[in-house]
Amino acid sequence: MTRGLWNRETVALMLIAAYLPLALFWLWSGGADAVARLGLAALVIGVWHLVFMLARAQAPSLAALVSALAIAMLAPEELGVLRMVLGISFGVVMGELVFGGWGRNVVNPATIALSFLGFGFPAFDWPVFDPQVAWAAIPAIVIGVATGVMPGALFAGAILTGLVAYAGGVLGGPVILMAGIVLVLLVADPVTSAATTLGRWIHGALYTALVALFASGWAGAAPVQIAVAAALLASLAAPLLDEAALAIWLAKRRRRHGRT
Amino acid sequence: MTFAGTGAGLALDFPSPPMGSAIDEVVTEEAGVRPPRGASLHVTPLVSEGEVVAKGAALACLRHAPDICFAAPIAGRVARLDLLPGRKLSEIVLFRENEDAVEHHDTSRAGTAAGVRHLMQVAGFWPRIRRRPFGGMPSQSEQPSAIIVMAIDTRPFAPDPRRAIKGQAEVFDRGLAALAELTDGPVHVICAEDDPVRIAPGLGGGRVRVARCGRRHPQGSAGIRIHDLCPAALDTPVWDLGAEDVAALGALVESGELPMTRLVNIAGAALREARIVRTHPGADLRQLTQRYVERGPHVLMSGSPLDGHMAHWLAPRHRQITVLPREAVPDKPHWLIAALTRASRANPVIPTAALDQALAAAMPAIPFIRALSASDDETAMKLGVLSLLEEDLALADYVLSQSGQLTADLRGMLDRIETEYAA
């Protein structure tokens, strides 16, 4: 029988293609250290996928590479191998694999791993990126939205709110750059972001609003820390936003048809 | 979901040789009458093997609703009458013979609602109607809350229903008026945005209306339009018919003879030449395609490449035939490859813009598909699953490369809802 294109692994490949410019710029500016971090993250996630394939007959996914990239880029620096392995294992197993693998998870595994590492080991410094790495997030957004694997409405909501916050003087330069990278890597995940158009607009706006709130009120926090915390809270709110958007849609239909 | 909501749907490109514009009239040497797919109907045969019947004569009727008959699509001799255990209809095969004989029905009571209904049932028109929710033909006395007439078909290779009813504007209007007798609700005629369709004003007391939609699939899918215009529910069934069948109904009411012609497109990658034929329901697919197929193994499908199924006879409601090359059965993969790609259950659907478009942005696609995969009947019913049938989700199934998983989930859910709620 004839078959189309958009199965789970095609979407994972498209996401990898979208992240490629960002990853290359980061590896280029980070050098051997960055390569080692990415390799470690990919290895640990790969082992856990293998374990769940053998134990639970759960097909592994190429989306593991996306999580690996996000964790390697955003995790606090000089943590050491043991802490990295611990954090990545917690995030990937508890955030994704126990739910049935990529596509059935409710929170992005990279967000979980980063929160675990960042808040569990607060003594270590969060990474800082060159501006050109942050600029490479723009082609990622363009590729992701053009191929339809990233939610366009979410970016629209986030960027509009960001512009308002910038104009109001709440958001500054470095925080905006970090927030952009985290927006692409963690918030725009197609699986765990909001699933309705209205929900996506609000999800994006909520993320930027949280970033602005933390940036103005959280003394001593690193830009990446602010963005990751905002991403975690926004993604926990995503199901609620969807529920609200569905309720509005249903109410509209009920008014129009007298039934749903 | 698009931002503006217009232009939803996908432009599909399946390979096929170019289609000629000439219409051949073909009455096949054999014809088969089968019940609608998936239905199992207890019947009482009204003819016996070897008997000669006229075109339109009743071959069998439902055992519990003897008014509803299956009619002979061609005049001929009953060659085989296959019944499954419990006298369920499997298939009735006719050989063409005595071509001029046509069954005539009494139209004297066709002015009233009950008369039209009775005429449609005894003339064998009833199986051409499909109801939602759950699909299949309506029960004998069911009154729909609305009727949808599809004068557009956006499936790949589908014939243009406007071409099928060209020059039959009067009987089409007559058919619409007859349909309006059967319901207190609206009768929506669905046609393309740029279609200059004309309906006689004031038809059916002003309840016959024209609604428009885009040309991209699945916008012209009956389920999507019903979901948009008049959602079907357990106590508000909605019927849908093709425009050609409505013209046939008009002719039946006017003359007492039910026309059996049907405009059918034959297309697909395994053909040397695509063609348009005017044939009849239950036509023999092999005879229609025999001289036009490429060498090599192929599969004959009744229906479109998306929602068709392999068949011997043209299915009761289908208007297209697809001929595809038969794919070789792949070798058994290495156990490690199999473990990497095949899981204990199907891979989940990842939300993409392609999925939104495959449901024509008519509903929140991702919550709906998630409810469907998780067998969450209540959420799916709220989001409109009762308006849909397998053919409406066929495109999503194709786009997501789920090879029948979504449509199977939908059928399972509809069957479950039917037993739980409609009891």
Side-chain angles (χ1 to χ4, degrees):
Chain A
M1 220 45 61
T2 48
R3 290 178 121 200
L5 192 62
W6 294 99
N7 60 9
R8 186 173 78 148
E9 292 316 295
T10 316
V11 178
L13 279 173
M14 285 294 172
L15 278 177
I16 291 173
Y19 288 133
L20 214 52
L22 186 63
L24 289 177
F25 266 91
W26 171 67
L27 288 173
W28 178 60
S29 72
D33 185 39
V35 176
R37 281 161 70 95
L38 182 59
L40 177 71
L43 185 73
V44 174
I45 297 179
V47 167
W48 279 114
H49 274 246
L50 202 66
V51 167
F52 272 79
M53 182 187 90
L54 296 174
R56 303 272 312 266
Q58 211 162 273
S61 167
L62 284 170
L65 288 176
V66 174
S67 306
L69 177 71
I71 294 172
M73 275 184 79
L74 301 172
E77 282 171 334
E78 284 151 25
L79 271 172
V81 175
L82 186 67
R83 292 190 190 90
M84 277 291 269
V85 170
L86 196 65
I88 295 170
S89 299
F90 178 78
V92 170
V93 173
M94 300 313 286
E96 179 178 281
L97 292 173
V98 291
F99 292 103
W102 191 55
R104 296 200 165 91
N105 50 328
V106 279
V107 193
N108 190 332
T111 314
I112 299 281
L114 290 168
S115 310
F116 181 88
L117 289 172
F119 300 107
F121 309 110
F124 296 89
D125 286 338
W126 289 87
V128 181
F129 297 111
D130 300 336
Q132 64 260 38
V133 177
W135 286 115
I138 291 174
I141 295 178
V142 172
I143 297 173
V145 173
T147 54
V149 295
M150 288 186 197
L154 188 144
F155 287 121
I159 291 169
L160 266 183
T161 321
L163 287 177
V164 171
Y166 184 70
V170 196
L171 275 180
V175 179
I176 284 190
L177 293 183
M178 291 306 119
I181 293 179
V182 171
L183 172 69
V184 173
L185 280 173
L186 300 184
V187 184
D189 173 14
V191 175
T192 58
S193 61
T196 51
T197 306
L198 180 64
R200 283 167 175 171
W201 276 90
I202 303 175
H203 186 179
L206 176 66
Y207 165 71
T208 319
L210 284 172
V211 168
L213 178 71
F214 294 158
S216 56
W218 186 353
V224 177
Q225 192 177 10
I226 287 172
V228 169
L232 178 68
L233 291 180
S235 86
L236 290 179
L240 184 69
L241 303 178
D242 273 345
E243 206 58 35
L246 282 185
I248 292 173
W249 184 81
L250 286 172
K252 257 192 213 160
R253 262 181 86 74
R254 206 166 286 131
R255 204 162 54 229
R256 194 170 144 209
H257 299 294
R259 55 182 187 261
T260 49
Chain B
M1 269 168 273
T2 55
F3 293 118
T6 53
L10 297 167
L12 296 161
D13 188 20
F14 287 97
S16 174
M19 182 90 61
S21 63
I23 299 178
D24 302 330
E25 311 252 341
V26 185
V27 177
T28 56
E29 293 300 319
E30 300 174 23
V33 176
R34 291 181 67 95
R37 195 161 184 257
S40 88
L41 303 169
H42 299 275
V43 296
T44 310
L46 300 175
V47 293
S48 51
E49 285 184 7
E51 205 171 306
V52 176
V53 294
K55 184 169 88 172
L59 296 174
C61 64
L62 295 189
R63 199 195 302 167
H64 303 298
D67 272 356
I68 300 179
C69 298
F70 289 95
I74 60 173
R77 189 175 293 278
V78 179
R80 211 173 67 236
L81 210 153
D82 271 353
L83 296 180
L84 299 171
R87 285 205 284 176
K88 288 178 183 163
L89 178 61
S90 165
E91 151 172 306
I92 301 173
V93 180
L94 302 168
F95 287 166
R96 183 161 74 142
E97 205 175 301
N98 185 26
E99 271 180 53
D100 298 331
V102 179
E103 184 81 5
H104 190 89
H105 299 277
D106 176 24
T107 59
S108 55
R109 287 174 58 222
T112 63
V116 170
R117 185 180 284 266
H118 181 75
L119 179 63
M120 286 162 80
Q121 291 173 349
V122 295
F125 187 84
W126 211 246
R128 298 191 190 190
I129 307 172
R130 190 178 43 190
R131 74 182 290 269
R132 292 152 196 264
F134 313 129
M137 68 169 117
S139 67
Q140 192 170 10
S141 55
E142 180 174 282
Q143 189 159 21
S145 68
I147 298 179
I148 293 266
V149 175
M150 297 304 292
I152 179 172
D153 194 344
T154 50
R155 281 172 280 203
F157 306 143
D160 184 0
R162 301 281 296 142
R163 187 171 181 193
I165 58 167
K166 202 173 170 193
Q168 303 182 47
E170 277 161 33
V171 282
F172 184 62
D173 285 352
R174 187 74 191 80
L176 289 175
L179 283 180
E181 298 270 346
L182 297 177
T183 174
D184 294 332
V187 178
H188 293 288
V189 181
I190 315 286
C191 55
E193 284 153 340
D194 49 357
D195 194 342
V197 69
R198 278 201 313 276
I199 302 272
L203 204 60
R207 283 182 291 124
V208 179
R209 297 172 201 155
V210 175
R212 298 184 182 272
C213 68
R215 284 192 183 277
R216 281 186 177 174
H217 196 52
Q219 287 206 57
S221 202
I224 301 290
R225 298 277 56 96
I226 289 174
H227 174 81
D228 186 37
L229 289 168
C230 45
L234 294 170
D235 50 350
T236 53
V238 178
W239 294 357
D240 78 273
L241 292 105
E244 201 176 6
D245 289 331
V246 175
L249 175 64
L252 170 70
V253 171
E254 212 142 83
S255 68
E257 289 168 15
L258 179 62
M260 286 292 176
T261 53
R262 168 172 297 188
L263 195 70
V264 173
N265 270 9
I266 307 175
L271 285 174
R272 278 185 287 123
E273 196 183 316
R275 18 174 354 215
I276 309 177
V277 294
R278 204 179 281 282
T279 179
H280 49 82
D284 183 3
L285 300 191
R286 285 179 302 183
Q287 186 188 337
L288 287 175
T289 55
Q290 212 165 33
R291 286 161 48 224
Y292 302 91
V293 182
E294 289 268 18
R295 282 155 164 266
H298 61 271
V299 284
L300 272 179
M301 302 201 317
S302 172
S304 77
L306 296 174
D307 60 358
H309 55 86
M310 279 163 76
H312 188 161
W313 316 108
L314 187 63
R317 287 177 49 96
H318 282 171
R319 285 158 207 288
Q320 53 186 127
I321 299 168
T322 310
V323 191
L324 297 175
R326 178 174 295 159
E327 289 167 13
V329 180
D331 293 335
K332 206 177 166 196
H334 187 263
W335 67 266
L336 182 62
I337 306 285
L340 286 169
T341 51
R342 269 186 291 163
S344 49
R345 51 182 179 157
N347 273 343
V349 171
I350 306 295
T352 57
L355 173 60
D356 284 330
Q357 299 303 312
L359 290 174
M363 60 183 77
I366 295 133
F368 176 71
I369 296 290
R370 282 181 177 161
L372 198 60
S373 317
S375 308
D376 180 357
D377 297 349
E378 279 179 31
T379 307
M381 280 165 76
K382 272 196 228 158
L383 295 178
V385 74
L386 293 178
S387 300
L388 303 181
L389 289 176
E390 285 97 323
E391 59 171 44
D392 307 307
L393 280 192
L395 178 65
D397 222 337
Y398 165 81
V399 164
L400 298 174
S401 185
Q402 293 254 312
S403 54
Q405 184 65 42
L406 282 184
T407 46
D409 285 349
L410 177 70
R411 182 34 69 189
M413 177 174 277
L414 289 176
D415 288 347
R416 203 167 47 237
I417 293 172
E418 192 171 14
T419 48
E420 279 180 15
Y421 290 81

